[in-house]
Amino acid sequence: MKNKIRRMINTMPLNKVRFWIQLSMFVLFVYGGYVLIDFGSSIPIFACPYNSETGATCYFMPLQHQLAMPANVLFGAAAISVLVGLLTFIAWFVFLNKAWCGYVCPFGTLQDWITALRKKLGIRYGTYSQTQFEKLSKIKYIFLAIVIVIPLLMGIGVLGREWSGAFCQICPARVISPMFSGDFSQWKIDFSTVTSMILTTIGVLFAAIFFVGSFIKKRFFCFFCPMSALHYTLSDLSLLKLRKDGDKCTKCGDCYRVCDMQIKDIADDVISTNILRDDCMFCMKCVAACPEDDALHVDILNMRVFSSTKEGFAKRMGMEKPEKNND
């Protein structure tokens, strides 16, 4: 029975399974508010509270407000609530690792749907050179610094209150998320202060770039997402791991070719066992596309829950089962 279940999982049509999970999570986190669902304010995805019907709140909003408090409050009366928020965020994250990006985040799902539209139209996607990839991958850490440093500068009085929620002001999710519930009011520039005008102008521009970029490039925004950067700093704590057995890898490159994030290490690195990289969204497409038994696998607490297999590869590719003498 155990082997039967394992075989069923290893040969499942991952793309279809993932599509339905993403659709369910999109409805849950974008429209959950309609049925009073609220997963709290420490969720590790872009569930934007500017959408009044969201089923949760992205952790970056409360984090910025907490870090902007004066030091005597942040490390005094508010310390426990700040710590509880952080520990709650980590507790959510630990279960899924970066699969929050690949399966749950509404903004990741929206990008996948834009990619599907491009495919329907027969337009070829764009790619980055390796040099471009390495430079762009660092930008998400700059945005993560904005999430953390600007509120701290507010807390010590270097920056004024007009910088409140600075990252949210420039985040495309603030502008786009309310659209899902018919609210287009965030497509505007706030002229109340010079700072607000600059930040909200950047936010509107980023929202426009999000749509154009996502149409041209798979998972365009994920390269710049500070939540992805924060995930990676905590990924060692997660129960879910993406592992590679380099001795079983033939460097055929199938895993790299299906990787929406163009991570070359997934094919080239035959030394590391932990093959998760900071741009990875843990979609598991690399595992599904690998034709070698157990060369790539997903583990929970060192137990394999999804492995690459010759049979799974052949089934997903619509091929005949491999000949027995090749097994």
Side-chain angles (χ1 to χ4, degrees):
M1 183 67 178
K2 187 178 176 182
N3 289 337
K4 189 175 180 181
I5 294 173
R6 182 177 297 165
R7 183 184 177 196
M8 183 178 71
I9 293 173
N10 290 342
T11 58
M12 67 178 172
L14 182 71
N15 285 343
K16 288 182 181 177
V17 172
R18 184 167 170 246
F19 170 82
W20 287 110
I21 292 175
Q22 285 185 293
L23 179 61
S24 303
M25 294 297 104
F26 187 91
V27 172
L28 185 65
F29 284 103
V30 173
Y31 298 112
Y34 281 111
V35 288
L36 304 180
I37 291 174
D38 184 1
F39 286 96
S41 57
S42 298
I43 295 296
I45 54 171
F46 276 12
C48 184
Y50 281 88
N51 169 20
S52 58
E53 306 304 333
T54 186
T57 298
C58 167
Y59 178 55
F60 282 161
M61 175 170 271
L63 177 64
Q64 289 176 94
H65 287 298
Q66 289 168 342
L67 295 180
M69 291 185 286
N72 62 324
V73 178
L74 178 62
F75 295 105
I80 292 179
S81 64
V82 173
L83 186 60
V84 168
L86 176 61
L87 292 177
T88 305
F89 172 84
I90 293 173
W92 279 111
F93 173 77
V94 159
F95 284 106
L96 291 181
N97 205 332
K98 298 196 77 175
W100 283 100
C101 306
Y103 286 80
V104 184
C105 180
F107 254 60
T109 297
L110 178 60
Q111 290 173 84
D112 288 341
W113 289 346
I114 293 173
T115 292
L117 173 64
R118 176 187 50 72
K119 284 182 180 176
K120 287 275 186 188
L121 296 174
I123 300 172
R124 182 166 172 75
Y125 63 89
T127 57
Y128 298 124
S129 68
Q130 190 60 24
T131 303
Q132 290 171 327
F133 172 85
E134 291 171 1
K135 289 180 179 176
L136 291 173
S137 291
K138 296 172 183 171
I139 294 177
K140 58 181 170 294
Y141 293 100
I142 296 174
F143 284 127
L144 181 59
I146 290 174
V147 172
I148 296 171
V149 175
I150 287 183
L152 290 174
L153 292 176
M154 290 173 60
I156 60 175
V158 174
L159 296 176
R161 306 311 300 178
E162 68 272 19
W163 287 90
S164 180
F167 177 74
C168 291
Q169 295 306 308
I170 65 173
C171 180
R174 174 187 63 82
V175 180
I176 296 171
S177 293
M179 292 168 54
F180 298 129
S181 54
D183 178 4
F184 291 80
S185 62
Q186 296 299 320
W187 284 90
K188 68 178 183 182
I189 296 171
D190 181 355
F191 291 98
S192 60
T193 67
V194 173
T195 302
S196 296
M197 181 184 71
I198 293 172
L199 292 177
T200 53
T201 299
I202 294 172
V204 170
L205 285 173
F206 280 179
I209 292 171
F210 172 90
F211 284 113
V212 175
S214 300
F215 193 77
I216 297 170
K217 178 75 184 70
K218 295 175 182 177
R219 287 282 180 149
F220 169 78
F221 179 70
C222 296
F223 278 97
F224 315 113
C225 179
M227 186 66 80
S228 174
L230 182 57
H231 283 183
Y232 189 61
T233 63
L234 299 170
S235 61
D236 285 343
L237 301 176
S238 178
L239 306 178
L240 198 67
K241 304 290 186 185
L242 179 61
R243 303 285 193 194
K244 181 173 182 178
D245 186 340
D247 292 337
K248 297 176 179 176
C249 175
T250 60
K251 287 192 172 183
C252 68
D254 281 0
C255 50
Y256 171 66
R257 280 189 282 276
V258 299
C259 180
D260 291 342
M261 300 304 293
Q262 289 187 237
I263 300 171
K264 280 189 74 66
D265 272 4
I266 191 69
D268 293 348
D269 187 345
V270 292
I271 304 299
S272 304
T273 53
N274 180 6
I275 203 65
L276 187 80
R277 296 295 181 264
D278 62 347
D279 289 305
C280 179
M281 56 177 172
F282 220 127
C283 64
M284 306 183 209
K285 287 169 69 175
C286 53
V287 182
C290 177
E292 305 301 331
D293 287 334
D294 293 323
L296 287 168
H297 46 94
V298 177
D299 297 357
I300 297 178
L301 293 175
N302 292 324
M303 293 185 295
R304 294 187 185 183
V305 293
F306 180 44
S307 295
S308 61
T309 63
K310 290 183 176 72
E311 183 183 8
F313 171 80
K315 190 173 180 181
R316 283 185 282 267
M317 294 298 113
M319 299 160 56
E320 297 292 330
K321 288 183 179 179
E323 294 178 9
K324 287 185 178 178
N325 58 4
N326 287 336
D327 287 342

mmCIF file of all heavy atoms in Angstrom, residues 160-199:
data_model
loop_
_atom_site.group_PDB
_atom_site.id
_atom_site.type_symbol
_atom_site.label_atom_id
_atom_site.label_comp_id
_atom_site.label_asym_id
_atom_site.label_seq_id
_atom_site.Cartn_x
_atom_site.Cartn_y
_atom_site.Cartn_z
ATOM 1 N N GLY A 160 10.636 61.074 8.656
ATOM 2 C CA GLY A 160 9.338 61.478 9.190
ATOM 3 C C GLY A 160 8.254 60.440 8.924
ATOM 4 O O GLY A 160 8.467 59.424 8.265
ATOM 5 N N ARG A 161 7.048 60.731 9.424
ATOM 6 C CA ARG A 161 5.937 59.791 9.336
ATOM 7 C C ARG A 161 5.465 59.582 7.905
ATOM 8 O O ARG A 161 4.751 58.617 7.608
ATOM 9 C CB ARG A 161 4.759 60.272 10.194
ATOM 10 C CG ARG A 161 5.069 60.568 11.660
ATOM 11 C CD ARG A 161 5.826 59.458 12.352
ATOM 12 N NE ARG A 161 5.122 58.187 12.364
ATOM 13 C CZ ARG A 161 5.612 57.075 12.874
ATOM 14 N NH1 ARG A 161 6.840 57.061 13.393
ATOM 15 N NH2 ARG A 161 4.912 55.947 12.855
ATOM 16 N N GLU A 162 5.809 60.507 7.008
ATOM 17 C CA GLU A 162 5.368 60.342 5.621
ATOM 18 C C GLU A 162 6.012 59.118 4.957
ATOM 19 O O GLU A 162 5.593 58.696 3.887
ATOM 20 C CB GLU A 162 5.667 61.606 4.797
ATOM 21 C CG GLU A 162 7.128 61.907 4.551
ATOM 22 C CD GLU A 162 7.763 62.735 5.658
ATOM 23 O OE1 GLU A 162 7.194 62.776 6.774
ATOM 24 O OE2 GLU A 162 8.834 63.341 5.417
ATOM 25 N N TRP A 163 7.046 58.558 5.637
ATOM 26 C CA TRP A 163 7.685 57.348 5.117
ATOM 27 C C TRP A 163 7.005 56.082 5.635
ATOM 28 O O TRP A 163 7.464 54.970 5.367
ATOM 29 C CB TRP A 163 9.168 57.332 5.512
ATOM 30 C CG TRP A 163 10.001 58.305 4.755
ATOM 31 C CD1 TRP A 163 10.265 59.607 5.090
ATOM 32 C CD2 TRP A 163 10.662 58.071 3.506
ATOM 33 N NE1 TRP A 163 11.046 60.200 4.137
ATOM 34 C CE2 TRP A 163 11.312 59.269 3.153
ATOM 35 C CE3 TRP A 163 10.772 56.972 2.660
ATOM 36 C CZ2 TRP A 163 12.056 59.397 1.977
ATOM 37 C CZ3 TRP A 163 11.515 57.097 1.491
ATOM 38 C CH2 TRP A 163 12.146 58.302 1.170
ATOM 39 N N SER A 164 5.922 56.243 6.373
ATOM 40 C CA SER A 164 5.236 55.086 6.961
ATOM 41 C C SER A 164 4.817 54.086 5.877
ATOM 42 O O SER A 164 4.194 54.446 4.882
ATOM 43 C CB SER A 164 3.991 55.564 7.723
ATOM 44 O OG SER A 164 3.325 54.473 8.287
ATOM 45 N N GLY A 165 5.138 52.819 6.099
ATOM 46 C CA GLY A 165 4.800 51.773 5.133
ATOM 47 C C GLY A 165 5.406 52.043 3.773
ATOM 48 O O GLY A 165 4.757 51.808 2.740
ATOM 49 N N ALA A 166 6.661 52.489 3.756
ATOM 50 C CA ALA A 166 7.290 52.907 2.490
ATOM 51 C C ALA A 166 7.271 51.790 1.440
ATOM 52 O O ALA A 166 6.968 52.033 0.268
ATOM 53 C CB ALA A 166 8.724 53.367 2.740
ATOM 54 N N PHE A 167 7.601 50.561 1.873
ATOM 55 C CA PHE A 167 7.616 49.499 0.861
ATOM 56 C C PHE A 167 6.219 49.246 0.315
ATOM 57 O O PHE A 167 6.047 49.021 -0.890
ATOM 58 C CB PHE A 167 8.202 48.194 1.413
ATOM 59 C CG PHE A 167 8.139 47.096 0.397
ATOM 60 C CD1 PHE A 167 9.011 47.083 -0.679
ATOM 61 C CD2 PHE A 167 7.156 46.109 0.459
ATOM 62 C CE1 PHE A 167 8.923 46.113 -1.667
ATOM 63 C CE2 PHE A 167 7.060 45.130 -0.519
ATOM 64 C CZ PHE A 167 7.949 45.138 -1.589
ATOM 65 N N CYS A 168 5.210 49.282 1.190
ATOM 66 C CA CYS A 168 3.834 49.063 0.708
ATOM 67 C C CYS A 168 3.462 50.129 -0.321
ATOM 68 O O CYS A 168 2.709 49.847 -1.263
ATOM 69 C CB CYS A 168 2.844 49.089 1.873
ATOM 70 S SG CYS A 168 2.995 47.663 2.986
ATOM 71 N N GLN A 169 3.972 51.345 -0.134
ATOM 72 C CA GLN A 169 3.631 52.413 -1.074
ATOM 73 C C GLN A 169 4.196 52.152 -2.473
ATOM 74 O O GLN A 169 3.607 52.546 -3.471
ATOM 75 C CB GLN A 169 4.156 53.760 -0.549
ATOM 76 C CG GLN A 169 3.497 54.219 0.743
ATOM 77 C CD GLN A 169 1.982 54.265 0.634
ATOM 78 O OE1 GLN A 169 1.442 54.874 -0.280
ATOM 79 N NE2 GLN A 169 1.298 53.595 1.555
ATOM 80 N N ILE A 170 5.350 51.489 -2.536
ATOM 81 C CA ILE A 170 5.945 51.224 -3.858
ATOM 82 C C ILE A 170 5.619 49.814 -4.375
ATOM 83 O O ILE A 170 5.948 49.487 -5.512
ATOM 84 C CB ILE A 170 7.484 51.409 -3.838
ATOM 85 C CG1 ILE A 170 8.156 50.373 -2.946
ATOM 86 C CG2 ILE A 170 7.842 52.824 -3.400
ATOM 87 C CD1 ILE A 170 9.685 50.411 -3.017
ATOM 88 N N CYS A 171 4.985 49.001 -3.534
ATOM 89 C CA CYS A 171 4.716 47.602 -3.912
ATOM 90 C C CYS A 171 3.584 47.533 -4.947
ATOM 91 O O CYS A 171 2.502 48.098 -4.731
ATOM 92 C CB CYS A 171 4.340 46.807 -2.664
ATOM 93 S SG CYS A 171 3.975 45.067 -3.021
ATOM 94 N N PRO A 172 3.791 46.802 -6.032
ATOM 95 C CA PRO A 172 2.710 46.667 -7.023
ATOM 96 C C PRO A 172 1.474 45.963 -6.480
ATOM 97 O O PRO A 172 0.378 46.171 -6.990
ATOM 98 C CB PRO A 172 3.372 45.857 -8.149
ATOM 99 C CG PRO A 172 4.559 45.204 -7.542
ATOM 100 C CD PRO A 172 5.022 46.124 -6.461
ATOM 101 N N ALA A 173 1.645 45.158 -5.427
ATOM 102 C CA ALA A 173 0.487 44.459 -4.847
ATOM 103 C C ALA A 173 -0.520 45.457 -4.285
ATOM 104 O O ALA A 173 -1.733 45.216 -4.331
ATOM 105 C CB ALA A 173 0.948 43.490 -3.759
ATOM 106 N N ARG A 174 -0.041 46.581 -3.736
ATOM 107 C CA ARG A 174 -0.958 47.592 -3.197
ATOM 108 C C ARG A 174 -1.880 48.118 -4.285
ATOM 109 O O ARG A 174 -3.072 48.367 -4.055
ATOM 110 C CB ARG A 174 -0.168 48.764 -2.587
ATOM 111 C CG ARG A 174 -1.046 49.927 -2.131
ATOM 112 C CD ARG A 174 -0.212 51.119 -1.692
ATOM 113 N NE ARG A 174 0.606 51.687 -2.757
ATOM 114 C CZ ARG A 174 0.149 52.542 -3.674
ATOM 115 N NH1 ARG A 174 -1.119 52.917 -3.660
ATOM 116 N NH2 ARG A 174 0.960 53.016 -4.607
ATOM 117 N N VAL A 175 -1.338 48.274 -5.480
ATOM 118 C CA VAL A 175 -2.111 48.847 -6.586
ATOM 119 C C VAL A 175 -2.998 47.790 -7.252
ATOM 120 O O VAL A 175 -4.166 48.057 -7.575
ATOM 121 C CB VAL A 175 -1.153 49.466 -7.627
ATOM 122 C CG1 VAL A 175 -1.936 50.068 -8.791
ATOM 123 C CG2 VAL A 175 -0.267 50.516 -6.973
ATOM 124 N N ILE A 176 -2.451 46.581 -7.410
ATOM 125 C CA ILE A 176 -3.137 45.562 -8.209
ATOM 126 C C ILE A 176 -4.145 44.746 -7.399
ATOM 127 O O ILE A 176 -5.239 44.433 -7.882
ATOM 128 C CB ILE A 176 -2.084 44.632 -8.858
ATOM 129 C CG1 ILE A 176 -1.218 45.431 -9.839
ATOM 130 C CG2 ILE A 176 -2.740 43.461 -9.570
ATOM 131 C CD1 ILE A 176 -0.018 44.676 -10.372
ATOM 132 N N SER A 177 -3.792 44.392 -6.151
ATOM 133 C CA SER A 177 -4.658 43.492 -5.365
ATOM 134 C C SER A 177 -6.097 43.976 -5.238
ATOM 135 O O SER A 177 -7.042 43.179 -5.383
ATOM 136 C CB SER A 177 -4.057 43.262 -3.979
ATOM 137 O OG SER A 177 -2.867 42.530 -4.079
ATOM 138 N N PRO A 178 -6.340 45.267 -4.941
ATOM 139 C CA PRO A 178 -7.742 45.714 -4.806
ATOM 140 C C PRO A 178 -8.548 45.535 -6.088
ATOM 141 O O PRO A 178 -9.780 45.448 -6.034
ATOM 142 C CB PRO A 178 -7.595 47.206 -4.450
ATOM 143 C CG PRO A 178 -6.233 47.332 -3.850
ATOM 144 C CD PRO A 178 -5.391 46.344 -4.603
ATOM 145 N N MET A 179 -7.860 45.474 -7.222
ATOM 146 C CA MET A 179 -8.575 45.293 -8.491
ATOM 147 C C MET A 179 -9.382 44.004 -8.512
ATOM 148 O O MET A 179 -10.419 43.910 -9.158
ATOM 149 C CB MET A 179 -7.575 45.275 -9.657
ATOM 150 C CG MET A 179 -6.887 46.602 -9.927
ATOM 151 S SD MET A 179 -5.479 46.438 -11.072
ATOM 152 C CE MET A 179 -6.229 45.612 -12.459
ATOM 153 N N PHE A 180 -8.899 42.979 -7.778
ATOM 154 C CA PHE A 180 -9.598 41.688 -7.778
ATOM 155 C C PHE A 180 -10.987 41.787 -7.149
ATOM 156 O O PHE A 180 -11.845 40.939 -7.372
ATOM 157 C CB PHE A 180 -8.769 40.634 -7.050
ATOM 158 C CG PHE A 180 -7.434 40.375 -7.693
ATOM 159 C CD1 PHE A 180 -6.270 40.411 -6.951
ATOM 160 C CD2 PHE A 180 -7.351 40.106 -9.050
ATOM 161 C CE1 PHE A 180 -5.036 40.172 -7.541
ATOM 162 C CE2 PHE A 180 -6.125 39.871 -9.655
ATOM 163 C CZ PHE A 180 -4.965 39.904 -8.898
ATOM 164 N N SER A 181 -11.200 42.794 -6.315
ATOM 165 C CA SER A 181 -12.535 42.994 -5.733
ATOM 166 C C SER A 181 -13.200 44.240 -6.323
ATOM 167 O O SER A 181 -14.088 44.836 -5.701
ATOM 168 C CB SER A 181 -12.440 43.083 -4.206
ATOM 169 O OG SER A 181 -11.524 44.075 -3.812
ATOM 170 N N GLY A 182 -12.726 44.653 -7.498
ATOM 171 C CA GLY A 182 -13.367 45.754 -8.213
ATOM 172 C C GLY A 182 -12.979 47.143 -7.751
ATOM 173 O O GLY A 182 -13.631 48.131 -8.089
ATOM 174 N N ASP A 183 -11.898 47.242 -6.977
ATOM 175 C CA ASP A 183 -11.464 48.537 -6.453
ATOM 176 C C ASP A 183 -10.215 48.997 -7.221
ATOM 177 O O ASP A 183 -9.146 48.404 -7.087
ATOM 178 C CB ASP A 183 -11.152 48.387 -4.960
ATOM 179 C CG ASP A 183 -10.649 49.689 -4.348
ATOM 180 O OD1 ASP A 183 -10.606 50.717 -5.058
ATOM 181 O OD2 ASP A 183 -10.295 49.672 -3.143
ATOM 182 N N PHE A 184 -10.351 50.069 -7.985
ATOM 183 C CA PHE A 184 -9.221 50.590 -8.767
ATOM 184 C C PHE A 184 -8.685 51.885 -8.166
ATOM 185 O O PHE A 184 -7.971 52.644 -8.818
ATOM 186 C CB PHE A 184 -9.660 50.830 -10.225
ATOM 187 C CG PHE A 184 -9.942 49.559 -10.984
ATOM 188 C CD1 PHE A 184 -11.153 48.895 -10.829
ATOM 189 C CD2 PHE A 184 -8.994 49.006 -11.833
ATOM 190 C CE1 PHE A 184 -11.420 47.710 -11.515
ATOM 191 C CE2 PHE A 184 -9.249 47.833 -12.523
ATOM 192 C CZ PHE A 184 -10.463 47.177 -12.364
ATOM 193 N N SER A 185 -9.040 52.144 -6.919
ATOM 194 C CA SER A 185 -8.708 53.435 -6.298
ATOM 195 C C SER A 185 -7.217 53.615 -6.030
ATOM 196 O O SER A 185 -6.761 54.735 -5.798
ATOM 197 C CB SER A 185 -9.473 53.593 -4.985
ATOM 198 O OG SER A 185 -9.091 52.578 -4.061
ATOM 199 N N GLN A 186 -6.440 52.519 -6.023
ATOM 200 C CA GLN A 186 -5.004 52.659 -5.744
ATOM 201 C C GLN A 186 -4.201 53.070 -6.972
ATOM 202 O O GLN A 186 -3.000 53.346 -6.861
ATOM 203 C CB GLN A 186 -4.458 51.345 -5.179
ATOM 204 C CG GLN A 186 -5.047 50.954 -3.833
ATOM 205 C CD GLN A 186 -4.752 51.988 -2.745
ATOM 206 O OE1 GLN A 186 -3.653 52.549 -2.672
ATOM 207 N NE2 GLN A 186 -5.743 52.266 -1.918
ATOM 208 N N TRP A 187 -4.868 53.119 -8.126
ATOM 209 C CA TRP A 187 -4.174 53.605 -9.322
ATOM 210 C C TRP A 187 -4.187 55.140 -9.303
ATOM 211 O O TRP A 187 -4.819 55.795 -10.139
ATOM 212 C CB TRP A 187 -4.843 53.082 -10.596
ATOM 213 C CG TRP A 187 -4.533 51.646 -10.874
ATOM 214 C CD1 TRP A 187 -5.228 50.564 -10.448
ATOM 215 C CD2 TRP A 187 -3.430 51.132 -11.643
ATOM 216 N NE1 TRP A 187 -4.640 49.401 -10.884
ATOM 217 C CE2 TRP A 187 -3.535 49.713 -11.635
ATOM 218 C CE3 TRP A 187 -2.371 51.728 -12.331
ATOM 219 C CZ2 TRP A 187 -2.607 48.897 -12.282
ATOM 220 C CZ3 TRP A 187 -1.457 50.905 -12.986
ATOM 221 C CH2 TRP A 187 -1.580 49.513 -12.956
ATOM 222 N N LYS A 188 -3.517 55.698 -8.345
ATOM 223 C CA LYS A 188 -3.489 57.155 -8.207
ATOM 224 C C LYS A 188 -2.196 57.560 -7.518
ATOM 225 O O LYS A 188 -1.507 56.743 -6.890
ATOM 226 C CB LYS A 188 -4.683 57.638 -7.388
ATOM 227 C CG LYS A 188 -4.624 57.213 -5.931
ATOM 228 C CD LYS A 188 -5.789 57.749 -5.144
ATOM 229 C CE LYS A 188 -5.658 57.357 -3.665
ATOM 230 N NZ LYS A 188 -6.811 57.823 -2.866
ATOM 231 N N ILE A 189 -1.893 58.840 -7.626
ATOM 232 C CA ILE A 189 -0.703 59.402 -6.978
ATOM 233 C C ILE A 189 -1.152 60.302 -5.842
ATOM 234 O O ILE A 189 -2.058 61.132 -6.002
ATOM 235 C CB ILE A 189 0.138 60.174 -8.003
ATOM 236 C CG1 ILE A 189 0.655 59.200 -9.072
ATOM 237 C CG2 ILE A 189 1.307 60.882 -7.321
ATOM 238 C CD1 ILE A 189 1.311 59.887 -10.259
ATOM 239 N N ASP A 190 -0.522 60.109 -4.681
ATOM 240 C CA ASP A 190 -0.847 60.895 -3.480
ATOM 241 C C ASP A 190 0.021 62.157 -3.470
ATOM 242 O O ASP A 190 1.238 62.076 -3.307
ATOM 243 C CB ASP A 190 -0.580 60.029 -2.244
ATOM 244 C CG ASP A 190 -0.906 60.769 -0.951
ATOM 245 O OD1 ASP A 190 -1.249 61.964 -1.020
ATOM 246 O OD2 ASP A 190 -0.793 60.135 0.121
ATOM 247 N N PHE A 191 -0.607 63.305 -3.633
ATOM 248 C CA PHE A 191 0.145 64.564 -3.701
ATOM 249 C C PHE A 191 0.218 65.279 -2.347
ATOM 250 O O PHE A 191 0.591 66.439 -2.288
ATOM 251 C CB PHE A 191 -0.501 65.498 -4.734
ATOM 252 C CG PHE A 191 -0.337 65.027 -6.164
ATOM 253 C CD1 PHE A 191 -1.349 64.336 -6.793
ATOM 254 C CD2 PHE A 191 0.839 65.285 -6.856
ATOM 255 C CE1 PHE A 191 -1.200 63.892 -8.110
ATOM 256 C CE2 PHE A 191 0.996 64.849 -8.174
ATOM 257 C CZ PHE A 191 -0.026 64.151 -8.800
ATOM 258 N N SER A 192 -0.143 64.586 -1.268
ATOM 259 C CA SER A 192 -0.195 65.258 0.043
ATOM 260 C C SER A 192 1.180 65.725 0.507
ATOM 261 O O SER A 192 1.300 66.764 1.158
ATOM 262 C CB SER A 192 -0.818 64.328 1.077
ATOM 263 O OG SER A 192 -0.054 63.137 1.205
ATOM 264 N N THR A 193 2.232 64.984 0.210
ATOM 265 C CA THR A 193 3.611 65.390 0.513
ATOM 266 C C THR A 193 4.495 64.983 -0.659
ATOM 267 O O THR A 193 4.104 64.128 -1.469
ATOM 268 C CB THR A 193 4.154 64.712 1.795
ATOM 269 O OG1 THR A 193 4.282 63.314 1.555
ATOM 270 C CG2 THR A 193 3.236 64.959 2.995
ATOM 271 N N VAL A 194 5.671 65.551 -0.709
ATOM 272 C CA VAL A 194 6.605 65.196 -1.789
ATOM 273 C C VAL A 194 6.981 63.719 -1.692
ATOM 274 O O VAL A 194 7.029 62.998 -2.700
ATOM 275 C CB VAL A 194 7.873 66.084 -1.731
ATOM 276 C CG1 VAL A 194 8.915 65.598 -2.742
ATOM 277 C CG2 VAL A 194 7.522 67.538 -1.979
ATOM 278 N N THR A 195 7.223 63.260 -0.463
ATOM 279 C CA THR A 195 7.600 61.851 -0.275
ATOM 280 C C THR A 195 6.481 60.918 -0.738
ATOM 281 O O THR A 195 6.726 59.933 -1.441
ATOM 282 C CB THR A 195 7.907 61.580 1.213
ATOM 283 O OG1 THR A 195 8.958 62.459 1.625
ATOM 284 C CG2 THR A 195 8.326 60.137 1.437
ATOM 285 N N SER A 196 5.240 61.245 -0.321
ATOM 286 C CA SER A 196 4.103 60.412 -0.723
ATOM 287 C C SER A 196 3.940 60.416 -2.234
ATOM 288 O O SER A 196 3.626 59.373 -2.841
ATOM 289 C CB SER A 196 2.822 60.914 -0.059
ATOM 290 O OG SER A 196 2.913 60.789 1.335
ATOM 291 N N MET A 197 4.149 61.576 -2.834
ATOM 292 C CA MET A 197 4.011 61.667 -4.290
ATOM 293 C C MET A 197 5.039 60.766 -4.981
ATOM 294 O O MET A 197 4.696 60.019 -5.912
ATOM 295 C CB MET A 197 4.214 63.118 -4.749
ATOM 296 C CG MET A 197 4.054 63.318 -6.244
ATOM 297 S SD MET A 197 4.405 65.004 -6.751
ATOM 298 C CE MET A 197 6.190 65.052 -6.540
ATOM 299 N N ILE A 198 6.288 60.810 -4.485
ATOM 300 C CA ILE A 198 7.342 59.987 -5.106
ATOM 301 C C ILE A 198 7.055 58.499 -4.916
ATOM 302 O O ILE A 198 7.115 57.704 -5.858
ATOM 303 C CB ILE A 198 8.719 60.359 -4.515
ATOM 304 C CG1 ILE A 198 9.100 61.788 -4.927
ATOM 305 C CG2 ILE A 198 9.788 59.362 -4.967
ATOM 306 C CD1 ILE A 198 10.339 62.320 -4.236
ATOM 307 N N LEU A 199 6.708 58.128 -3.673
ATOM 308 C CA LEU A 199 6.498 56.699 -3.385
ATOM 309 C C LEU A 199 5.303 56.138 -4.152
ATOM 310 O O LEU A 199 5.376 55.040 -4.722
ATOM 311 C CB LEU A 199 6.301 56.497 -1.874
ATOM 312 C CG LEU A 199 7.527 56.770 -0.991
ATOM 313 C CD1 LEU A 199 7.161 56.612 0.482
ATOM 314 C CD2 LEU A 199 8.684 55.844 -1.346
#
